[in-house]
Amino acid sequence: MSRTTIIAAAQLGPIARSENRASVVKRMIALMREAKAMGAEVVAYPEAALTAFFPHWWTEDEAEIDAWFERDMPGKDTAALFDEARRLGVGFHLGYCELDLSSGKKRRFNSSILVDKQGAIIGKYRKIHLPGHFEHRPGTPFQNLEKRYFEVGDLGFGVWRAYGGVAGMMICNDRRWPEAYRVLGLQAVEMIFCGYNTPVHHPAAPDHDRLGQFHNELCMQSGAYQNSCWVIGVAKAGVEEGVDMIGGSAIFAPTGEIVARCSSIEDELIVARCDLDLGRSYRETTFDFAKHRRVETYGMIVERTGRNTP
Ligand code: CDV
């Protein structure tokens, strides 16, 4: 019996700094309904999907920073998304900024969750590879202050039984790091959800700009292929408060092929019929980890080549 899950990626166009969460959730619900109409079992939203991507701006005002974060999930404005998921019987993946007060101390994370068809949260991930810088760089056209506004995630890369298979998550910059996929691959992940906010311009290395979309696809194609899994890359796209974002949301098969890709930089839904057994022929041949991975020799190779020596 084939295991097929219809997966939707709901790209979001720009979100204005002044746009409130209720308005964004309304946009997301419209995409969720479209996903349901196309037979999707799960719909994926981008990183920090509920607001404009505020790490592009410097502020020292604690209350202003906190206002970009969710204290509760679901909260006042996001409850409607959970209610709609339950009503339609569609699961979802959501990236959001999490304010965690549970330890009595304020902790901020760039997080994502998996929600099942009954509207229950079944998995949470907190972004590990935070890009950008901590200090104020007022001379640049925009900043990436993720290192300032978020702590490094403390939940590792986990997997959950969801949507008929084994699901995992990573967030934006994580997708550029092979170890993120491999830790999930070692847990036999079958679908990886990855939301992102990626500017076209890279202030620290403008010569990389022309390759933004190429690198976006390169890392997700290879991550999918080398770990025999589906990857759902879903973007915030378009010009958001003066920052041009690459978009290019796509669904990657375990073959490394792109099977669906957004063609706009606006709110747009793509859907793919994902055969979860497609990964099996790779997992049991080329990428049979137990048979072919030789971790015990890798340290020797690092020593010999001198890579990573301080
Ligand atoms: N939100 C991100 O993690 N963005 C980074 C940018 C800053 C390079 C990315 O890897 O796409």
Side-chain angles (χ1 to χ4, degrees):
M1 195 178 78
S2 93
R3 292 183 306 131
T4 297
T5 298
I6 301 181
I7 301 180
Q11 175 172 287
L12 291 174
I15 298 175
R17 198 170 174 152
S18 58
E19 185 170 354
N20 63 32
R21 287 168 176 73
S23 159
V24 178
V25 166
K26 213 166 148 191
R27 287 164 59 182
M28 294 166 84
I29 286 176
L31 291 162
M32 185 183 276
R33 289 179 181 158
E34 199 178 326
K36 174 68 184 180
M38 293 172 85
E41 288 190 41
V42 54
V43 56
Y45 299 106
E47 172 190 34
L50 299 165
T51 65
F53 198 68
F54 70 93
H56 290 151
W57 312 304
W58 169 267
T59 177
E60 288 175 293
D61 180 335
E62 278 286 300
E64 188 185 328
I65 299 169
D66 286 350
W68 296 110
F69 286 76
E70 313 303 311
R71 282 163 202 261
D72 303 301
M73 189 54 68
K76 180 172 69 66
D77 295 309
T78 45
L81 194 63
F82 286 72
D83 291 346
E84 190 65 6
R86 203 174 299 118
R87 193 182 74 78
L88 295 172
V90 175
F92 67 93
H93 160 275
L94 172 70
Y96 70 104
C97 301
E98 178 193 5
L99 182 61
D100 176 12
L101 301 170
S102 63
S103 64
K105 192 175 139 240
K106 191 183 279 187
R107 304 184 72 196
R108 299 189 183 107
F109 297 100
N110 187 340
S111 300
S112 58
I113 48 173
L114 298 177
V115 178
D116 72 12
K117 292 177 178 181
Q118 286 76 45
I121 296 174
I122 51 172
K124 185 195 275 189
Y125 168 68
R126 289 170 167 166
K127 184 174 180 177
I128 290 175
H129 299 97
L130 298 174
H133 46 95
F134 187 86
E135 74 291 352
H136 192 17
R137 293 187 185 168
T140 51
F142 62 89
Q143 310 197 41
N144 191 322
L145 292 154
E146 288 193 56
K147 285 198 192 312
R148 173 178 167 74
Y149 296 135
F150 304 120
E151 282 181 46
V152 172
D154 59 353
L155 301 177
F157 289 103
V159 299
W160 294 267
R161 290 219 154 270
Y163 322 125
V166 179
M169 292 177 273
M170 57 178 70
I171 300 179
C172 196
N173 193 258
D174 289 322
R175 76 194 188 285
R176 305 188 191 277
W177 299 85
E179 47 271 53
Y181 300 90
R182 183 47 49 94
V183 172
L184 292 170
L186 286 165
Q187 299 172 83
V189 73
E190 294 181 306
M191 54 192 125
I192 298 176
F193 295 93
C194 177
Y196 60 94
N197 280 271
T198 300
V200 171
H201 179 48
H202 192 323
D207 50 321
H208 300 183
D209 291 1
R210 71 183 179 87
L211 299 168
Q213 198 54 261
F214 168 66
H215 289 154
N216 179 50
E217 293 182 355
L218 176 70
C219 57
M220 289 193 276
Q221 284 186 267
S222 54
Y225 169 62
Q226 292 169 344
N227 295 281
S228 314
C229 64
W230 292 85
V231 175
I232 299 91
V234 57
K236 175 93 77 55
V239 181
E240 182 180 271
E241 298 292 346
V243 181
D244 193 3
M245 317 273 258
I246 61 168
S249 303
I251 298 178
F252 304 84
T255 56
E257 292 167 294
I258 296 175
V259 298
R261 185 198 270 121
C262 281
S263 56
S264 78
I265 46 170
E266 295 164 8
D267 291 6
E268 182 180 344
L269 192 88
I270 50 170
V271 163
R273 181 178 293 277
C274 303
D275 176 0
L276 300 183
D277 285 331
L278 182 57
R280 185 171 289 169
S281 57
Y282 290 89
R283 205 174 301 129
E284 292 180 354
T285 57
T286 312
F287 294 114
D288 184 329
F289 289 167
K291 248 191 210 152
H292 309 305
R293 262 179 106 237
R294 287 293 165 261
V295 180
E296 65 281 5
T297 68
Y298 298 165
M300 289 159 51
I301 292 164
V302 170
E303 261 167 51
R304 239 186 291 131
T305 59
R307 287 290 299 277
N308 287 350
T309 40

